[in-house]
Amino acid sequence: PPMGPWGFDPMGKGMPPMGKGKPCMKGPFGKGGPPHMGAVNREALDMQRFAIERKRALRDFAGVLHGKVAKEPGNFATEKLDQTKQFQDTLGLQLEGHQLPVMATTEMVVMDALWLLWLYDPDANEQDRQLLMNIAKLARASQGRARQLLVKALRQIWPKPGTGPSGRAVQLFSMLGSTLPKFQGPKL
């Protein structure tokens, strides 16, 4: 048989079979090398891909709203625009045009989207603003703790099966409906 480019015949007697022979040939996982990718790993990758797609969609949503604020600043009270600037400074937001950076953390994307909803909400109050500012300060200091707080809060307010959205949510959605990014469906 012809010799391979390595100087020995890989199928002949020159090389011991995988997992046998000297301990250095066995690898860190014992016989046969690393474990094969199972259903659990595939599911974890699918969940990660789903989370990345949701984060991108939320980032796009926030970008559209930032663009709308920049185009039509007269639609908002000057006080709210000043508070928005203060919020962005507190959170450390560095917008690229009207978009959040691609590498922005999930906490920053969620906080920015929540702030923009507050900005557009005609019923928004000082208590809501102060809560968002406090969470922004926490996110700046400790992203892990901010994530835990956001997860806990979102779990508590997430709609239960059989319940409908509140009238306030429907009103806010109808105001923002034309600016929402269009749903593109799953990528197959």
Side-chain angles (χ1 to χ4, degrees):
M3 297 286 270
W6 307 281
F8 64 90
D9 181 8
M11 302 310 267
K13 295 184 180 181
M15 178 112 177
M18 289 298 277
K20 296 191 179 193
K22 298 180 182 177
C24 65
M25 299 297 281
K26 289 186 179 180
F29 299 101
K31 296 181 180 178
H36 298 289
M37 182 179 201
V40 174
N41 290 338
R42 193 172 317 114
E43 185 177 320
L45 288 173
D46 288 345
M47 286 176 55
Q48 185 179 18
R49 190 175 314 114
F50 176 78
I52 289 170
E53 288 174 8
R54 297 303 104 203
K55 179 181 170 185
R56 182 194 49 77
L58 189 58
R59 183 178 158 268
D60 291 347
F61 167 70
V64 168
L65 293 182
H66 277 294
K68 193 170 178 183
V69 170
K71 278 186 201 173
E72 305 164 358
N75 292 349
F76 304 95
T78 308
E79 180 183 1
K80 273 193 160 185
L81 292 175
D82 292 342
Q83 291 168 340
T84 298
K85 179 70 175 139
Q86 181 186 7
F87 172 80
Q88 290 174 347
D89 292 342
T90 300
L91 193 56
L93 279 180
Q94 306 263 327
L95 297 178
E96 297 171 350
H98 303 301
Q99 281 288 83
L100 287 166
V102 173
M103 298 305 292
T105 64
T106 302
E107 296 82 11
M108 289 181 98
V109 174
V110 169
M111 287 303 304
D112 187 43
L114 288 173
W115 182 269
L116 289 165
L117 289 174
W118 174 84
L119 181 64
Y120 276 89
D121 188 357
D123 298 328
N125 58 38
E126 180 61 23
Q127 185 180 8
D128 295 338
R129 185 194 73 80
Q130 194 59 45
L131 176 65
L132 289 171
M133 287 296 286
N134 288 340
I135 297 173
K137 289 175 188 173
L138 179 63
R140 184 80 186 252
S142 172
Q143 290 183 356
R145 290 183 63 205
R147 178 176 289 212
Q148 290 172 353
L149 181 66
L150 287 169
V151 166
K152 188 175 180 179
L154 290 173
R155 279 186 179 156
Q156 287 180 351
I157 65 163
W158 201 256
K160 307 293 183 260
T163 62
S166 68
R168 186 175 170 196
V170 170
Q171 179 186 12
L172 186 59
F173 179 78
S174 65
M175 270 182 24
L176 299 174
S178 64
T179 62
L180 294 174
K182 303 298 180 231
F183 177 70
Q184 297 173 353
K187 294 176 184 167
L188 303 173

